[in-house]
């Protein structure tokens, strides 16, 4: 019988309810080597967070013509200033196209991406579509089981809120101090 369980089960890719989303591939599958990286293709990366930008950079190194489609007015919002500026230089040098304020509304078979940009509906066709919409906590089943067993627990790191290494480490540290 534990005094306290620290739940550090991490996160899973988040996929918004977009029709046809199953036609894309997960960025983590590319980054981990689970699936082969395409060469010399026209590729859309849906989502311009840190992982989406890293994925776009990797794809561009393989000769792909990459477009990042991001619904916010900026990419890589979680990066520090100096790192962000370095990333912007790489994106410019690698000729990665960035579409801001663009919300994906549909991914059709044949990899036609439909998106809204400033009130206008637009479409483009790609050879490959990568999903990089972010992460969601992965702990519901375990925390429910712990509650059912009346075991005290704390959810830490990405299982609490997907973020970065610093957040995961600090939440673990403070949870341990509080135990």
């Amino acid at each position: 019988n534990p005094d306290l369980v620290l739940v550090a089960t991490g996160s899973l890719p988040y996929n918004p309810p977009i029709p046809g989303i199953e036609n894309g591939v997960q960025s983590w599958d590319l980054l981990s080597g689970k699936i082969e990286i395409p060469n010399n293709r026209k590729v859309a990366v849906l989502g311009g967070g840190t992982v989406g930008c890293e994925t776009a950079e990797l794809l561009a190194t393989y000769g792909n013509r990459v477009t990042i489609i991001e619904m916010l007015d900026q990419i890589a919002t979680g990066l520090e200033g100096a790192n962000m500026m370095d990333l912007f230089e790489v994106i410019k040098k690698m000729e990665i196209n960035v579409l801001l304020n663009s919300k994906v509304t549909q991914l059709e078979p044949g990899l036609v991406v439909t998106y809204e940009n400033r009130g206008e509906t637009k479409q483009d066709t790609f050879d490959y579509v990568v999903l990089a919409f972010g992460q969601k906590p992965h702990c519901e089943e375990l925390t429910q089981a712990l509650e059912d067993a009346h075991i005290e627990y704390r959810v830490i790191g990405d299982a609490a809120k997907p973020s970065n290494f610093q957040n995961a480490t600090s939440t673990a540290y403070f949870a341990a101090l509080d135990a």
Side-chain angles (χ1 to χ4, degrees), residues 92-123:
K92 183 177 179 181
K93 179 181 174 188
M94 297 184 106
E95 299 180 3
I96 296 170
N97 186 30
V98 178
L99 302 175
L100 299 174
N101 301 302
S102 299
K103 182 178 179 183
V104 176
T105 57
Q106 188 168 359
L107 178 54
E108 299 174 31
L111 302 179
V112 177
V113 177
T114 304
Y115 59 95
E116 300 284 330
N117 179 276
R118 302 183 193 277
E120 207 178 317
T121 300
K122 299 183 178 187
Q123 285 188 324

Side-chain angles (χ1 to χ4, degrees), residues 143-177:
T143 56
Q144 186 60 56
L146 292 168
E147 284 179 22
D148 292 347
H150 305 290
I151 296 173
E152 186 179 354
Y153 67 91
R154 296 225 183 16
V155 181
I156 61 172
D158 284 356
K161 180 180 183 243
S163 184
N164 56 36
F165 176 76
Q166 182 179 357
N167 178 65
T169 305
S170 65
T171 59
Y173 176 79
F174 288 113
L177 284 179

Side-chain angles (χ1 to χ4, degrees), residues 76 78-90:
L79 285 181
E80 297 295 323
N83 295 336
M84 191 178 294
M85 295 312 296
D86 290 342
L87 174 66
F88 291 167
E89 283 184 34
V90 168

Side-chain angles (χ1 to χ4, degrees), residues 9-62:
T9 49
S11 61
L12 294 172
Y14 168 72
N15 287 322
I18 296 172
I21 199 162
E22 67 279 358
N23 294 308
V25 299
Q26 289 295 335
S27 57
W28 288 108
D29 290 342
L30 277 175
L31 295 171
S32 69
K34 185 176 178 181
I35 58 177
E36 191 173 331
I37 297 170
N39 291 295
N40 300 310
R41 308 296 287 268
K42 183 178 178 186
V43 181
V45 176
L46 309 184
T50 305
V51 172
C53 291
E54 289 174 354
T55 303
E57 182 181 347
L58 175 67
L59 288 162
T61 64
Y62 280 75

